[in-house]
Amino acid sequence: MMDVGIPEGMNVSSTSEGLKIERKWFSGVTIFLTVFAVLWNGFLFNWYNHAHNFELFPEKNMLVVLVPLLFVAVGVVLTYYVIASYFNKTIITVNHRTLESKISPFPFGFKKSIPSRSIEQVYCKEITRGINNDIRVLFEVRVILKNRSNITLFSGLESSEQALFLEHEIESYLGIKDVSVKGELS
């Protein structure tokens, strides 16, 4: 594998714990989602604020009250994700004992910890998501363990450079020879 420079939004440092790679979540998508969340929540606030004037809440029809709460739930989750996108970073720590991935400061997902000795190969995969003409390409970094199980270490990367960089740094630190994996990003 060729040497890849440090991509935008990432930071690498050597610490007493080992190699530490940080990736900030903030991207152009965060701006779009911020605007969308403000519009979504603004509409809901306005709707609930004026709904009593339209007599939309008949006493006997609780379904009319409960169904819009699904939209409120979407607004709450969307707002949490947007706030997390401004502040969060994923931190990968690699040492000869473990490979660890965690998200901080806002909890989002689960911390992953993999014994370094169980790692056979690290590779990247291109993931295509979308419907019709709205196709989005994202990248994942995956780990193949010696027992042949396959674990997604990092997903949702917007550039192949970030994925390839993570693969290269982890393999270099752990002394893993880069071997071709079927379906990997080249």
Side-chain angles (χ1 to χ4, degrees):
M1 173 184 283
M2 67 177 138
D3 192 25
V4 181
I6 299 174
E8 186 177 337
M10 298 187 96
N11 186 32
V12 179
S13 59
S14 289
T15 69
S16 59
E17 298 173 14
L19 180 67
K20 184 177 179 181
I21 306 169
E22 297 179 344
R23 179 189 169 265
K24 295 177 184 175
W25 284 23
F26 184 84
S27 71
V29 174
T30 305
I31 303 295
F32 169 78
L33 288 176
T34 301
V35 172
F36 185 78
V38 167
L39 293 174
W40 181 276
N41 291 320
F43 170 79
L44 287 174
F45 178 78
N46 192 42
W47 190 84
Y48 273 105
N49 201 28
H50 293 94
H52 60 86
N53 294 335
F54 305 124
E55 297 180 18
L56 293 175
F57 296 130
E59 291 178 19
K60 295 182 181 178
N61 191 355
M62 286 305 292
L63 193 60
V64 174
V65 175
L66 295 177
V67 169
L69 289 178
L70 294 173
F71 291 93
V72 172
V74 169
V76 168
V77 170
L78 178 61
T79 301
Y80 184 84
Y81 180 78
V82 167
I83 292 169
S85 293
Y86 277 96
F87 300 102
N88 268 11
K89 55 186 166 185
T90 301
I91 303 165
I92 296 176
T93 305
V94 185
N95 58 48
H96 293 291
R97 289 184 316 280
T98 59
L99 169 66
E100 185 176 279
S101 173
K102 66 181 179 178
I103 297 169
S104 173
F106 294 100
F108 209 96
F110 299 101
K111 177 178 166 180
K112 294 178 185 173
S113 185
I114 304 165
S116 296
R117 290 186 176 142
S118 68
I119 299 172
E120 185 172 303
Q121 191 63 54
V122 181
Y123 72 101
C124 303
K125 187 166 180 146
E126 182 178 295
I127 305 296
T128 305
R129 293 187 180 142
I131 302 170
N132 299 328
N133 294 333
D134 188 22
I135 303 297
R136 189 162 179 222
V137 177
L138 298 172
F139 302 91
E140 294 180 343
V141 177
R142 296 183 176 187
V143 175
I144 298 175
L145 302 181
K146 291 184 178 169
N147 68 6
R148 305 308 297 158
S149 57
N150 195 318
I151 298 172
T152 300
L153 177 66
F154 206 105
S155 62
L157 294 167
E158 294 178 352
S159 76
S160 60
E161 291 80 18
Q162 288 183 339
L164 292 168
F165 176 77
L166 285 168
E167 174 188 0
H168 178 264
E169 292 299 306
I170 293 167
E171 286 180 338
S172 293
Y173 189 87
L174 295 176
I176 297 172
K177 182 181 178 198
D178 188 34
V179 177
S180 181
V181 174
K182 184 178 179 180
E184 83 172 313
L185 179 67
S186 52

